[in-house]
Amino acid sequence: MAALAWLLIPLVAAVAAGLWGSWVNRTRSVRGDGPELDGYARFREAMEKSPPDARGA
């Protein structure tokens, strides 16, 4: 009987982890890629600008 208890402990933990994970995912708000893509576009524009003339070099 003790062996059965030791086998049930991981099973109960796995079920609890699955329920907790589904609950956490349910309450997460969906966020698109918009802000990341906008930031990347600004980065590319900044990198494509020609550098100012180096004076005194």
Side-chain angles (χ1 to χ4, degrees):
M1 192 64 159
L4 183 60
W6 280 108
L7 291 174
L8 285 177
I9 291 171
L11 179 65
V12 170
V15 170
L19 290 173
W20 179 79
S22 64
W23 179 75
V24 167
N25 249 348
R26 179 184 59 85
T27 58
R28 181 186 301 178
S29 64
V30 177
R31 192 175 115 191
D33 291 334
E36 288 85 5
L37 293 176
D38 292 340
Y40 179 67
R42 287 193 306 271
F43 172 76
R44 283 187 47 195
E45 289 172 5
M47 289 293 117
E48 290 173 356
K49 288 181 182 177
S50 59
D53 294 336
R55 295 183 190 178

